[in-house]
Amino acid sequence: MKKADVFEFFRRLAEDDPSPETELESINTYTLLVAVVLSAQATDAGVNKATRRLFEKVTTPQQMVALGEAQLKEHIKTIGLFNTKAKNVIALSQALIDEHGGEVPADRAALEKLPGVGRKTANVVMNTAFGAETFAVDTHIFRVCNRTRLAPGKTPLAVELGLEKVVPQPFRLGAHHWLILHGRYTCKARKPDCWRCVVADLCPYQPKTPPPA
């Protein structure tokens, strides 16, 4: 995508949604981290449904460790891979206590060392909690960036590095949210809503889907 088109692409997304934000519900930075870890291969809506009651009881690593793995599983058993995720959440909570004074570090490398936290999760937390200009590439963003040729790549990391190069100011902070929301609600996997897409004319994807009959 041409440089001028990239700017116009984000300008339109920003005009359509001036204040994009994550759809994961959280109380503080710690609960955001937990929610993002739980959201791997799960929907935000499903995670929110499971964590609402959990986060009424637990808002700190200390409280999570006190809750214990068995009780945590009861709260999150509706989420995919809940056994592994429960183990990771307890372990990362203990690591935060032992290594970071119970606080979530504002450092991507430190976040990635926590159990169950990969690059995508670290990027989400850095962006959402700490205002870092990071690009967390999930399946939605991977699809949008390849379809539109905004930042094509064969791997999530390749797409992330492409976004690092092409996303201009003043859109870098919100880019992750605009792209994920666009992929979730407009540029959908099976049948994108090209007919109502605000950036359709900038996108080479074919065939464009027509309006529903």
Side-chain angles (χ1 to χ4, degrees):
M1 190 180 290
K2 295 178 182 178
K3 190 174 182 180
D5 289 344
V6 172
F7 189 92
E8 180 63 12
F9 180 94
F10 282 106
R11 188 198 67 77
R12 293 184 196 176
L13 293 182
E15 185 177 57
D16 193 54
D17 184 5
S19 302
E21 56 186 28
T22 181
E23 293 185 321
L24 285 171
E25 297 172 4
S26 62
I27 307 298
N28 53 26
T29 303
Y30 170 69
T31 54
L32 172 68
L33 172 61
V34 171
V36 179
V37 168
L38 296 178
S39 72
Q41 298 180 322
T43 65
D44 286 4
V47 172
N48 291 339
K49 188 175 181 180
T51 58
R52 282 184 192 123
R53 289 185 63 193
L54 173 65
F55 292 161
E56 287 176 2
K57 296 180 178 181
V58 175
T59 59
T60 68
Q62 293 85 351
Q63 290 172 339
M64 187 68 78
V65 171
L67 180 72
E69 189 175 329
Q71 284 297 309
L72 176 57
K73 285 181 182 179
E74 284 300 306
H75 280 280
I76 66 170
K77 61 186 178 182
T78 56
I79 300 174
L81 307 175
F82 73 93
N83 284 312
T84 299
K85 290 176 180 179
K87 183 177 180 179
N88 283 334
V89 167
I90 296 298
L92 76 84
S93 299
Q94 189 64 58
L96 289 175
I97 295 167
D98 295 342
E99 301 167 23
H100 302 283
E103 299 294 324
V104 177
D107 178 82
R108 183 164 61 187
L111 286 167
E112 287 188 69
K113 291 179 182 178
L114 296 171
V117 178
R119 187 177 181 90
K120 185 188 78 173
T121 295
N123 279 337
V124 172
V125 173
M126 288 300 297
N127 178 268
T128 304
F130 301 116
E133 294 174 353
T134 53
F135 306 94
V137 178
D138 69 348
T139 55
H140 296 300
I141 294 178
F142 186 80
R143 179 175 65 254
V144 169
C145 287
N146 276 289
R147 271 185 184 165
T148 62
R149 312 307 290 172
L150 172 67
K154 293 183 178 181
T155 65
L157 180 58
V159 170
E160 180 188 336
L161 296 177
L163 288 170
E164 286 275 7
K165 292 179 181 177
V166 303
V167 179
Q169 294 292 6
F171 308 114
R172 292 180 68 84
L173 182 60
H176 157 76
H177 297 299
W178 282 310
L179 290 171
I180 195 171
L181 294 171
H182 188 64
R184 186 172 290 163
Y185 297 113
T186 303
C187 195
K188 295 176 283 188
R190 292 186 180 179
K191 191 176 182 182
D193 291 350
C194 301
W195 54 275
R196 66 177 185 86
C197 174
V198 298
V199 292
D201 60 305
L202 302 174
C203 169
Y205 175 77
Q206 294 295 336
K208 293 285 198 294
T209 54

